[in-house]
Amino acid sequence: AAARRRAPQLVSKAGLQFPVGRIGRYLRQGKYVTRMGAGATVYLAAVLEYLCAEILEVAVNATRDNKKSRIVPRHITLAVKNVKNDEELNKLLGGVIIAAGGVLRRQNISHMYVCRPPVYAKESRRDENERVTLRLYNLEA
């Protein structure tokens, strides 16, 4: 009774971490394609794995910048929004919103707040003969 040898899985053949068979099953069950080539699932799994690796790489850098050891959605948001040197990744993830990732802080907010001295009272003249009265806003003495 010789044990049957199992055929090598597509994941190990392709050298990927993403599940090739599961991606193919989702493509078939979701009716995304009517006909699918043998290499299509391997190619799609490789593309998805590459994108995840790129995003995780910049997220790890953002995590280290914040002196943390665990990646949280905030770090992914900071990483995705601050990808300036990778033009293609920036174009792909330009309009992406990460759940529980927060928003980016504005860099130049000094133009929004103009520092003016506070005005506590104003002077008004009724007639030249009357003396100057000092009225507080909404309060008359």
Side-chain angles (χ1 to χ4, degrees):
R4 279 182 84 184
R5 244 180 98 208
R6 290 182 62 181
Q9 294 184 339
L10 286 173
V11 175
S12 59
K13 267 182 157 180
L16 298 174
Q17 299 298 316
F18 269 49
V20 176
R22 186 180 301 171
I23 290 173
R25 187 176 75 234
Y26 287 158
L27 283 174
R28 283 190 302 274
Q29 286 177 353
K31 308 272 193 235
Y32 294 108
V33 291
T34 54
R35 299 173 59 179
M36 186 170 47
T41 55
V42 176
Y43 193 85
L44 183 59
V47 168
L48 291 174
E49 184 174 323
Y50 169 74
L51 287 175
C52 285
E54 286 290 318
I55 292 171
L56 281 175
E57 182 184 345
V58 292
V60 166
N61 294 339
T63 306
R64 287 189 185 138
D65 291 344
N66 290 330
K67 299 182 176 102
K68 305 287 185 195
S69 60
R70 184 177 294 167
I71 299 174
V72 294
R74 177 68 180 165
H75 299 142
I76 298 173
T77 300
L78 291 172
V80 165
K81 298 300 179 184
N82 290 331
V83 177
K84 303 295 182 205
N85 51 0
D86 195 348
E87 184 180 325
E88 293 168 347
L89 197 61
N90 195 13
K91 185 177 179 182
L92 178 70
L93 302 172
V96 171
I97 299 173
I98 308 290
V103 295
L104 288 183
R105 204 180 322 179
R106 286 194 195 185
Q107 297 299 324
N108 276 335
I109 59 171
S110 60
H111 67 279
M112 293 174 60
Y113 302 104
V114 178
C115 294
R116 295 182 186 142
V119 178
Y120 296 110
K122 71 176 178 183
E123 298 176 10
S124 65
R125 289 184 187 255
R126 292 192 180 162
D127 291 319
E128 289 183 8
N129 295 337
E130 288 184 21
R131 63 184 182 139
V132 176
T133 58
L134 187 67
R135 286 191 301 161
L136 295 174
Y137 286 118
N138 298 331
L139 298 173
E140 290 194 12

